[in-house]
Amino acid sequence: MTDFKHMRLDGKQFTREEIKSLIKEYNIRFIKLQFVDINGQVKNMSVPSQQIDKVLNNEIMLDGSSIKGFRSIETSDMFFHPDINSFQILPWRNKDGVNAARLICDIYNADGTPFEGCPRCNLKRVMEAAEKMGFSMNIGPEAEFFLFSKDKDGNVTTDTQDRAGYYDVGPEDLGEDVRSDIVLTLQEMGFDIEASHHEVADGQHEIDFRYADILTAADNVTTFRVAVKAVAAQHNLHATFMPKPIFGINGSGMHCNVSLFKDGKNAFYDENAEYQLSETAKFAVGGILKHVKSITAITNPVVNSYKRLVPGYEAPVYLAWSLANRSALVRVPAKRGISTRVELRSPDPSCNPYLAFAAILEAALDGIRNKIDPPAPVESNIYKLTTKERKKQRIDSLPGSLYEALEQMDKSLVARAALGDHIFSEFMTAKKKEWDSFRTYVSQWELDKYLERY
């Protein structure tokens, strides 16, 4: 691999001159202007590096009518506004000494205003609302994924390449080499990797990287998913962030470790309070628990998400919080001081991180604005409680399907505030169509169950 370690990883702004120097030094021939649609799918336009001045002057256009949830054909002219400090050489695109780099972009209208349907611009809007209250949010996402083999024709299968389990080592964990290559690639790209390991299910893996402000974290999740897939493909494997690709085993989650900062200090920590959790922390937990059902369609946005969110596979489906108990939806890890945080365990890695993080932030802020007290923490294993016992303790459950989640979202002012009117409307329309397609599809399960019986 080419050594890019001298590239800027200190959070300071690149200059135009530095970018042009890197283009020349590393023989970068193409610049990929990267953005996401409302589903969180990465899109890009590739331009020759000779166009870098136009790129940096925000002069490159795109057709917004071609992107899901963006613009109609009558008002489709839009512009890339690159985040200059997101300039990054793509390690897997090196071919015969020729390199490509990417710039993460916001999408702007032709009149020079941020496009309200751009998920990244929308997250910035919610962040500004938090800043007016004096808060900034950090988030540490933990995105799990599966590695699947391909058949002799290169088609993706659901055959895993190993039969290992949680924290297993080689030779049982045949994914060690792939994970190592992914980690090395991510480190080249500036990720601060904290750990990597095999997960519970066959072929399931997790790589943890350091928390960041929610905009950087959303950028990182997007980059992470692209990098994981690219490196897996080099090993003739398919990496998937589908929440539940195989029946009967654990699905993939994306636990989110959340903290709020104010005046440079962790606003969740209070040395003298109960559990050393500040009122701000408790109100944030109260807001998340109150609104989590109405933002679940955002954090768990596909039909398949709800095949993971079922009891019995370590998925958090019960609306409770705890200091340590992993059967609760919201958990407070043991560390205090600057590391004080709460962990929301329901999101999955199919979500659009820009929208999901905006929704989590808005729910927490609503709890703080309205001083929403959470219920008492639950330290017993909720999975072992009977329905009657859960009802007695007033422990509710997450929506059981995308349809139920959309019903909750449709009447939620917090969800609408998190997404803005444009994205909210486009998201609801797209997801209702997705549910209707699933609802009317005749599945193999139905054929196996009914074809010969009736």
Side-chain angles (χ1 to χ4, degrees):
M1 291 185 176
T2 307
D3 182 10
F4 302 134
K5 289 182 180 177
H6 79 280
M7 293 186 64
R8 177 154 293 164
L9 306 176
D10 57 10
K12 294 181 181 178
Q13 191 80 358
F14 272 119
T15 66
R16 291 173 175 238
E17 290 70 26
E18 285 174 325
I19 288 178
K20 290 179 181 180
S21 177
L22 287 168
I23 288 172
K24 183 177 180 180
E25 180 179 355
Y26 287 104
N27 194 25
I28 297 169
R29 300 287 184 86
F30 297 96
I31 308 294
K32 296 184 178 293
L33 305 181
Q34 179 182 304
F35 64 105
V36 299
D37 64 13
I38 62 170
N39 290 323
Q41 295 295 307
V42 175
K43 307 288 184 179
N44 79 92
M45 178 185 288
S46 183
V47 299
S49 58
Q50 290 89 341
Q51 301 295 320
I52 188 61
D53 283 323
K54 286 186 176 180
V55 169
L56 298 178
N57 289 332
N58 309 323
E59 295 176 8
I60 304 296
M61 296 177 63
L62 76 152
D63 174 8
S65 67
S66 300
I67 306 301
K68 186 178 291 296
F70 273 27
R71 283 288 190 208
S72 65
I73 198 169
E74 296 89 353
T75 57
S76 59
D77 286 346
M78 311 186 84
F79 288 82
F80 290 101
H81 279 230
D83 182 337
I84 195 170
N85 213 40
S86 69
F87 182 84
Q88 179 63 60
I89 296 174
L90 302 176
W92 57 87
R93 295 295 300 171
N94 181 288
K95 185 175 182 181
D96 299 327
V98 174
N99 282 300
R102 73 95 204 270
L103 280 163
I104 297 174
C105 299
D106 295 328
I107 305 302
Y108 271 56
N109 296 310
D111 64 3
T113 57
F115 171 47
E116 64 273 23
C118 170
R120 197 170 188 268
C121 290
N122 178 74
L123 178 55
K124 286 183 175 181
R125 177 186 60 81
V126 180
M127 291 170 67
E128 287 173 3
E131 287 168 6
K132 289 178 181 178
M133 295 174 61
F135 293 111
S136 62
M137 177 174 277
N138 286 342
I139 195 162
E142 303 170 359
E144 298 166 346
F145 60 94
F146 280 87
L147 292 175
F148 289 128
S149 300
K150 297 180 181 179
D151 64 20
K152 58 183 178 62
D153 297 318
N155 299 311
V156 177
T157 73
T158 52
D159 296 329
T160 60
Q161 61 159 176
D162 65 55
R163 295 293 181 267
Y166 206 63
Y167 291 144
D168 275 354
V169 298
E172 286 80 10
D173 177 9
L174 299 176
E176 274 189 328
D177 290 343
V178 188
R179 279 206 316 275
S180 295
D181 283 352
I182 293 170
V183 168
L184 291 172
T185 298
L186 291 170
Q187 286 176 326
E188 278 194 83
M189 300 183 74
F191 279 71
D192 186 354
I193 302 297
E194 296 186 336
S196 68
H197 59 87
H198 200 286
E199 259 293 339
V200 174
D202 295 351
Q204 189 182 33
H205 305 269
E206 181 178 318
I207 297 172
D208 298 331
F209 46 90
R210 184 175 172 80
Y211 70 88
D213 67 89
I214 55 175
L215 182 64
T216 301
D219 288 342
N220 286 345
V221 169
T222 304
T223 298
F224 176 79
R225 294 192 298 208
V226 173
V228 168
K229 286 179 174 289
V231 176
Q234 292 175 345
H235 289 261
N236 197 36
L237 296 171
H238 177 71
T240 183
F241 293 91
M242 179 180 177
K244 184 85 167 186
I246 301 176
F247 169 74
I249 64 175
N250 287 35
S252 291
M254 190 177 77
H255 301 166
C256 292
N257 293 274
V258 176
S259 58
L260 287 174
F261 277 69
K262 190 170 190 176
D263 299 325
K265 296 180 181 180
N266 190 322
F268 280 3
Y269 177 63
D270 183 344
E271 184 180 7
N272 300 312
E274 185 180 23
Y275 315 126
Q276 295 186 313
L277 293 178
S278 67
E279 276 197 334
T280 297
K282 291 179 182 178
F283 292 152
V285 170
I288 289 171
L289 287 176
K290 178 178 179 180
H291 298 297
V292 69
K293 291 172 71 172
S294 66
I295 65 170
T296 293
I298 306 168
T299 59
N300 306 81
V302 298
V303 168
N304 182 255
S305 296
Y306 301 86
K307 305 294 178 74
R308 166 184 169 255
L309 292 176
V310 294
Y313 297 98
E314 300 186 9
V317 295
Y318 300 117
L319 275 59
W321 74 287
S322 167
L323 297 180
N325 181 6
R326 281 179 163 81
S327 67
L329 180 72
V330 176
R331 188 178 75 91
V332 182
K335 286 187 176 181
R336 291 295 182 267
I338 197 170
S339 298
T340 307
R341 62 193 187 273
V342 299
E343 179 188 47
L344 178 61
R345 297 171 58 79
S346 57
D348 70 53
S350 70
C351 72
N352 180 331
Y354 299 99
L355 302 186
F357 296 169
I360 294 169
L361 175 56
E362 187 62 42
L365 293 178
D366 190 75
I368 295 167
R369 290 189 199 101
N370 295 295
K371 298 184 178 181
I372 300 173
D373 280 313
V378 177
E379 300 303 336
S380 57
N381 187 341
I382 306 174
Y383 297 143
K384 293 185 177 181
L385 297 179
T386 64
T387 302
K388 186 176 181 180
E389 288 170 332
R390 289 197 302 273
K391 187 174 182 180
K392 185 178 181 180
Q393 295 188 44
R394 297 182 178 179
I395 299 174
D396 201 355
S397 299
L398 289 175
S401 68
L402 180 60
Y403 176 78
E404 292 178 21
L406 290 171
E407 281 194 314
Q408 293 285 337
M409 179 179 167
D410 204 15
K411 55 190 178 186
S412 169
L413 296 178
V414 164
R416 186 177 289 274
L419 302 190
D421 289 339
H422 180 97
I423 294 178
F424 185 92
S425 176
E426 293 290 343
F427 186 92
M428 287 294 297
T429 298
K431 290 301 168 181
K432 285 178 178 179
K433 287 181 179 178
E434 183 176 335
W435 173 258
D436 200 52
S437 175
F438 170 73
R439 181 184 64 82
T440 57
Y441 179 74
V442 179
S443 67
Q444 187 61 47
W445 183 91
E446 292 168 281
L447 295 174
D448 293 342
K449 191 80 172 176
Y450 306 127
L451 185 61
E452 294 185 13
R453 180 181 297 182
Y454 294 102

